[in-house]
Amino acid sequence: MRNWILILILLHFIPFNVSGQEKEWLLNKDSVFTSISSEHFNLYSFDGHLSKKTKVDILNERESAYQEISDFFGIKPNLTINIFLFRNEQLKYNLTWS
């Protein structure tokens, strides 16, 4: 049960924990990534990196997990979570410096 509480806390507070260089980088995300969205998630990836079906499958899995967690705790949080997928670790580091 403690793990579920930790997950919920992280899902709630991570979007507010962006500062410094990361915040500046996020403002320019649309120039580098293509995006697809679901009710609670925005998935950003490079054009041609993943098929549309793969992206939709990822979002469906995340929505299912989100719903399970919400139902377990009996809550309906109103938040949107950004997911960034990079081709490799080196590209991520080159773009984000982290």
Side-chain angles (χ1 to χ4, degrees):
M1 175 122 166
R2 288 182 185 171
N3 289 341
W4 286 106
I5 293 171
L6 178 61
I7 290 169
L8 182 63
I9 290 170
L10 290 174
L11 284 174
H12 184 71
F13 287 107
I14 286 175
F16 304 108
N17 192 24
V18 176
S19 61
Q21 184 269 332
E22 295 168 353
K23 189 173 187 178
E24 182 180 319
W25 180 80
L26 285 173
L27 294 175
N28 296 316
K29 68 185 174 299
D30 295 332
S31 65
V32 178
F33 294 96
T34 59
S35 65
I36 184 171
S37 299
S38 64
E39 183 178 356
H40 298 103
F41 295 90
N42 298 318
L43 188 141
Y44 297 92
S45 65
F46 289 90
D47 193 27
H49 176 222
L50 300 169
S51 70
K52 182 165 184 164
K53 181 187 180 321
T54 300
K55 293 175 189 179
V56 169
D57 289 346
I58 290 169
L59 289 176
N60 288 338
E61 289 174 8
R62 297 293 174 113
E63 284 294 344
S64 177
Y66 184 96
Q67 191 61 48
E68 284 184 41
I69 292 168
S70 297
D71 290 347
F72 179 82
F73 287 106
I75 58 172
K76 296 292 180 197
N78 183 21
L79 60 102
T80 302
I81 300 166
N82 293 323
I83 303 169
F84 292 88
L85 300 177
F86 295 85
R87 289 183 180 141
N88 57 53
E89 186 176 344
Q90 186 61 47
L91 180 59
K92 177 195 174 282
Y93 180 79
N94 290 343
L95 289 173
T96 66
W97 302 348
S98 61

